[in-house]
Amino acid sequence: MFLSISVLLGACGKQVSGTNAEIAWSKIEMVVKSMPQTSFLDKIYNINDFGAVADGLTSNTAAFEKAIKACAANGGGVVLVPNGKYFTGPIHLESNINLHLEDNAEILFSTNPKDYPLVHTSFEGTELINYSPLIYAKNKTNIAITGKGTLNGQANSTNWWIWAGSKSYGWQSGIPSQNDPNNREVLVDMAERDVPVSERVFGEGRYLRPNFVEFFDCNTALIKDVKIINAPFWILHPIKTNNIIVDGVTVTSHGPNNDGCDPEYSQNVIIKNCTFNTGDDCIAIKSGRDADGRRVAIPSKNIIVQNCKMIDGHGGVVMGSEISAGVNNVFVENCIMDSPNLERAIRIKTNSKRGGIIEGIYVRNLQIGTVKECVLKATMTYNVYGSQTGNFIPTIRNINLENIKVNDGGEYGILADGYKESPVENITFKNVVIKKVDSMYSLKNVKNVHFVDTYINDKKVESIKD
């Protein structure tokens, strides 16, 4: 049985210190070993045997469905996608199935919204009934997507991306988008009024893009080795899903809201050996938006990020902004982050509409080449879609960065702002070297900032007295 990191790490809720950080890290190996692993019957169901045609044009939606149903009916196994190009609509997985792509297999997903049935899903941290994700599993156990083939969402500035309403992605005045008053704003208002999810029916005419891979309310899952390109929206989205491993995945997608991996309301998540080159955050840990997050009230916790490479993105490892149910116990180690288009290394973003408690963030052994803005950003005044002020004051506390080397830190080593009644608390930099940065830090309503053997611009930095 998996032992919760919350149980194992009694020190996490206390002020970060060297001792407490060591206690937290000492439990990682035990935690990783206790994760349940996927396991599948040694039976192969080749989609070509169910009528699939590898010409990149013929619709294989029915072939995928038939292969998956046959596999599930016989106790599970491997649904094999052989080398070739397979055009399809959405793929819905069943329990005990491993969707495996051979090395030169490519799944090309339809860009016609009419091919995507309405399902229970989520958009920007708010649950609704909307277009099916391109790959979707709901209430399933023991599922996987593996192999070195490619998942191609085929999104670009002529189809899904244009719905974001940004001129950078093909939108022009007069073209409908998610920003029209009857679309995204209506969904947010429904959640604030606690309209049941079953009545939040969107889809055609509402222009809310589908997630790429979404495991919803699942347990024991694996995504390994695949390449993912050209996503409509969020790319890997485990929501309310526990015990999931994302291993060796390469994400290259520069569209709007193209976050690489967004664990939401999810616990016991390992993201390792991955490469993220994205149009938004590389990894963004979520837990619901505003009233909807407080309704669900499941924090995302026990998130481990290891041996990953972050290239372009708004942030390397990010918590927020949809974070109302809180995030805790995040561990990031042995990662490389480097790009003039990577804005921050570690980022926490919330505001007084979101609220949430964010605590227990442990980061070590990072090699950072260039980031545009800062190494660490923690803000309680994140703004998007206009004013984001309310009555839900966030908490951000206990952040520890250790053994970090940065060539070019951009504008700030630390950029943090809290509220007078709720300052950002307990930031520790230990053995951090930032060779080049415009300013050591910019702090507003921040309490307990500790520098231990830390050098910025070749100058040893002293702790800030409260």
Side-chain angles (χ1 to χ4, degrees):
M1 179 179 292
F2 184 90
L3 295 176
S4 165
I5 298 179
S6 299
V7 173
L8 291 169
L9 304 182
C12 280
K14 302 177 183 178
Q15 177 175 329
V16 169
S17 69
T19 301
N20 287 344
E22 290 168 10
I23 293 171
W25 281 110
S26 71
K27 308 300 180 180
I28 286 297
E29 186 175 349
M30 185 188 309
V31 167
V32 172
K33 287 182 177 179
S34 68
M35 287 274 290
Q37 304 291 308
T38 54
S39 179
F40 304 97
L41 293 179
D42 189 19
K43 297 180 180 179
I44 296 177
Y45 298 78
N46 188 320
I47 62 169
N48 289 345
D49 295 336
F50 295 85
V53 179
D55 61 3
L57 298 172
T58 302
S59 176
N60 292 294
T61 307
F64 275 103
E65 183 178 355
K66 290 175 183 176
I68 289 168
K69 284 186 175 180
C71 183
N74 289 282
V78 176
V79 172
L80 178 66
V81 183
N83 293 330
K85 294 180 180 291
Y86 298 88
F87 177 79
T88 187
I91 296 171
H92 288 193
L93 296 180
E94 298 290 341
S95 295
N96 303 313
I97 285 179
N98 176 9
L99 179 68
H100 183 80
L101 284 72
E102 289 190 338
D103 291 4
N104 294 310
E106 182 174 7
I107 301 177
L108 301 156
F109 287 91
S110 171
T111 59
N112 183 355
K114 294 183 183 297
D115 289 338
Y116 293 83
L118 302 188
V119 300
H120 183 180
T121 181
S122 176
F123 183 84
E124 289 188 338
T126 305
E127 291 184 60
L128 78 166
I129 309 300
N130 193 36
Y131 294 116
S132 169
L134 280 56
I135 298 181
Y136 181 67
K138 180 74 158 54
N139 295 319
K140 307 304 178 187
T141 300
N142 192 42
I143 53 175
I145 303 169
T146 64
K148 296 183 179 180
T150 300
L151 304 174
N152 186 350
Q154 301 200 101
N156 58 41
S157 295
T158 68
N159 53 71
W160 298 118
W161 291 354
I162 203 170
W163 290 8
S166 170
K167 291 182 179 179
S168 300
Y169 298 101
W171 180 86
Q172 297 178 5
S173 180
I175 296 175
S177 80
Q178 67 186 41
N179 297 326
D180 295 346
N182 288 326
N183 300 335
R184 188 197 64 81
E185 291 179 17
V186 170
L187 174 62
V188 171
D189 178 67
M190 284 180 167
E192 291 298 312
R193 293 187 289 110
D194 199 24
V195 173
V197 173
S198 61
E199 298 177 18
R200 305 176 194 174
V201 181
F202 284 70
E204 186 173 1
R206 309 306 280 273
Y207 302 98
L208 302 183
R209 291 161 287 150
N211 297 280
F212 201 138
V213 178
E214 183 174 87
F215 293 169
F216 198 128
D217 249 327
C218 295
N219 199 323
T220 312
L222 173 68
I223 305 173
K224 182 172 173 58
D225 291 339
V226 290
K227 303 177 186 69
I228 305 176
I229 61 175
N230 305 328
F233 186 61
W234 291 0
I235 297 170
L236 299 176
H237 185 216
I239 176 171
K240 301 181 184 176
T241 288
N242 297 337
N243 304 318
I244 177 169
I245 297 172
V246 179
D247 182 6
V249 173
T250 299
V251 172
T252 305
S253 192
H254 283 80
N257 310 103
N258 273 193
D259 300 359
C261 186
D262 297 86
E264 184 167 22
Y265 306 127
S266 292
Q267 302 179 7
N268 312 339
V269 178
I270 299 175
I271 305 166
K272 61 182 181 179
N273 308 317
C274 296
T275 298
F276 296 99
N277 192 358
T278 68
D280 209 300
D281 296 323
C282 294
I283 295 172
I285 302 163
K286 311 281 191 179
S287 63
R289 180 190 179 103
D290 302 349
D292 221 40
R294 290 183 280 274
R295 173 186 64 85
V296 175
I298 301 173
S300 284
K301 63 182 181 180
N302 312 345
I303 315 292
I304 301 168
V305 180
Q306 298 172 318
N307 304 307
C308 290
K309 183 176 183 180
M310 289 75 172
I311 307 174
D312 292 356
H314 293 180
V317 177
V318 177
M319 286 127 272
S321 71
E322 297 83 8
I323 201 167
S324 299
V327 167
N328 62 80
N329 297 342
V330 175
F331 296 83
V332 182
E333 65 175 341
N334 303 325
C335 293
I336 297 171
M337 303 182 183
D338 184 15
S339 171
N341 298 316
L342 181 63
E343 297 185 19
R344 307 104 183 160
I346 305 297
R347 185 184 188 190
I348 299 168
K349 49 182 176 176
T350 183
N351 54 48
S352 59
K353 272 193 171 182
R354 300 285 191 276
I357 299 173
I358 304 97
E359 62 181 346
I361 313 302
Y362 300 90
V363 182
R364 70 180 184 185
N365 304 336
L366 299 190
Q367 292 288 337
I368 301 173
T370 299
V371 288
K372 186 181 294 187
E373 185 181 36
C374 56
V375 176
L376 169 65
K377 184 171 185 177
T379 180
M380 296 185 184
T381 57
Y382 177 76
N383 269 338
V384 68
Y385 298 128
S387 175
Q388 296 290 299
T389 57
N391 299 314
F392 300 92
I393 304 300
T395 297
I396 299 175
R397 63 191 176 207
N398 302 348
I399 306 166
N400 185 283
L401 275 69
E402 182 175 358
N403 297 335
I404 315 292
K405 295 187 183 301
V406 185
N407 288 334
D408 186 347
E411 298 177 29
Y412 303 99
I414 303 173
L415 180 57
D417 62 271
Y419 291 96
K420 287 183 179 180
E421 62 270 41
S422 179
V424 177
E425 290 190 82
N426 306 332
I427 298 173
T428 298
F429 272 33
K430 181 179 179 181
N431 296 330
V432 175
V433 176
I434 305 174
K435 291 183 179 180
K436 178 185 174 183
V437 70
D438 293 345
S439 301
M440 290 185 181
Y441 44 73
S442 175
L443 307 173
K444 181 179 180 181
N445 298 319
V446 178
K447 182 179 178 181
N448 297 336
V449 181
H450 304 279
F451 295 103
V452 181
D453 294 328
T454 288
Y455 293 82
I456 298 178
N457 294 336
D458 295 321
K459 180 180 178 181
K460 188 173 183 178
V461 186
E462 301 298 328
S463 295
I464 301 172
K465 294 183 180 180
D466 300 330

